[in-house]
Amino acid sequence: MRSLLIITFVFITYIPLHAQDGSDIYYYKTGGVDSKLKGKFAHIDFYNWSMYGYVTDTVTITIYTKPVLFREIRKDNGFENWFSQQYLESVDSFDHLKVRIVKCRIDLVTSDSILVTNYIEYYRNGQLLYELNMQEPYWFSKKTIAGVLVYSGQERTNR
């Protein structure tokens, strides 16, 4: 009996453990973006494919008629890739505020453009200023888009 316990203990300690990776994002190359994605929440991946967070591009987007330079924030380690951890953040601060586009909703897809509603949040010293949150429509040319990261889970009500 004692040898059976020893063998069982040794066997259990040498069993490889497996963990499941996680993601709640589907990645569509620009050519695969069409009207079936209308109404879906997404992040636009600009210019270069941003896999594993190694490549982060910048893009200028007009907010309230003012051009703002944004950089992609991609938290993707190749194993875990969560929609809520991806966003665009303004390179510069405005009156000590950072601007983030935390997601967009795909409203219309044409052969050369995508119309989205950007969900915009403002931060001061890393703290979200809820009273300044807004939504604004914007057209993106498909020429500037490497792909679209589409949310695959249930939409949370806090964003």
Side-chain angles (χ1 to χ4, degrees), residues 46-96:
F46 296 96
Y47 301 109
N48 299 297
W49 185 36
S50 300
M51 186 173 176
Y52 306 123
Y54 293 134
V55 176
T56 55
D57 293 307
T58 58
V59 62
T60 300
I61 299 172
T62 302
I63 306 284
Y64 279 138
T65 69
K66 180 177 180 169
V68 178
L69 182 64
F70 287 90
R71 66 185 164 110
E72 294 177 335
I73 305 296
R74 300 286 183 245
K75 295 185 181 175
D76 172 5
N77 64 13
F79 301 105
E80 305 235 350
N81 189 13
W82 302 106
F83 188 82
S84 64
Q85 295 177 344
Q86 322 299 320
Y87 53 91
L88 299 174
E89 184 172 68
S90 62
V91 172
D92 298 316
S93 294
F94 307 94
D95 296 327
H96 304 289

Side-chain angles (χ1 to χ4, degrees), residues 8 12 19 21 24 41 105:
T8 302
I12 289 173
D21 301 337
D24 60 357
F41 287 103
R105 184 188 64 232

Side-chain angles (χ1 to χ4, degrees), residues 33-153:
V33 176
D34 59 24
S35 61
K36 72 177 177 268
L37 298 178
K38 183 178 177 185
K40 302 281 186 185
F41 287 103
H43 294 290
I44 307 295
D45 190 5
F46 296 96
Y47 301 109
N48 299 297
W49 185 36
S50 300
M51 186 173 176
Y52 306 123
Y54 293 134
V55 176
T56 55
D57 293 307
T58 58
V59 62
T60 300
I61 299 172
T62 302
I63 306 284
Y64 279 138
T65 69
K66 180 177 180 169
V68 178
L69 182 64
F70 287 90
R71 66 185 164 110
E72 294 177 335
I73 305 296
R74 300 286 183 245
K75 295 185 181 175
D76 172 5
N77 64 13
F79 301 105
E80 305 235 350
N81 189 13
W82 302 106
F83 188 82
S84 64
Q85 295 177 344
Q86 322 299 320
Y87 53 91
L88 299 174
E89 184 172 68
S90 62
V91 172
D92 298 316
S93 294
F94 307 94
D95 296 327
H96 304 289
L97 296 178
K98 284 284 193 170
V99 181
R100 287 186 187 172
I101 298 176
V102 296
K103 66 182 176 183
C104 64
R105 184 188 64 232
I106 299 172
D107 295 328
L108 183 65
V109 179
T110 68
S111 60
D112 60 348
S113 303
I114 300 174
L115 173 65
V116 303
T117 298
N118 286 323
Y119 286 70
I120 302 165
E121 296 179 347
Y122 292 84
Y123 290 79
R124 178 176 287 129
N125 300 323
Q127 296 292 334
L128 174 62
L129 303 174
Y130 290 99
E131 67 274 8
L132 297 179
N133 291 354
M134 60 178 271
Q135 299 172 19
E136 189 171 68
Y138 197 82
W139 282 98
F140 291 107
S141 168
K142 285 187 177 179
K143 292 178 184 176
T144 65
I145 298 173
V148 177
L149 294 76
V150 176
Y151 183 60
S152 66

